[in-house]
Amino acid sequence: LGCPGSRRGRVALEPSGSAGFGFDLIFRVPSSAKTVAEMGADEKNAISHRGLAGRRARSLLDRLLQL
């Protein structure tokens, strides 16, 4: 079972924000003009690659269980 997820973005010139770790401080999301570290939890979950993969996995598992 494979459910990939990815997120496009750009590297910021300077770190910004405090709600994150790793690359969150410099990963800027074009759709919001914020770094991931500047986003709240709900905003992060809506656009995160892990959230996307999780939603895809849930949809796939729901369909498999319907068989």
Side-chain angles (χ1 to χ4, degrees):
L1 175 66
C3 297
S6 64
R7 175 57 44 207
R8 290 188 179 268
R10 297 191 178 265
V11 175
L13 296 176
E14 294 183 17
S16 183
S18 60
F21 63 95
F23 292 107
D24 289 357
L25 296 167
I26 60 168
F27 190 76
R28 187 167 301 283
V29 179
S31 62
S32 72
K34 295 179 183 178
T35 65
V36 176
E38 293 174 300
M39 297 179 176
D42 289 341
E43 198 174 6
K44 280 185 194 183
N45 289 334
I47 60 103
S48 81
H49 64 289
R50 288 184 186 98
L52 175 60
R55 289 187 293 276
R56 286 180 177 168
R58 182 175 181 158
S59 176
L60 180 59
L61 290 171
D62 285 346
R63 284 184 278 150
L64 288 172
L65 292 172
Q66 299 282 324
L67 297 177

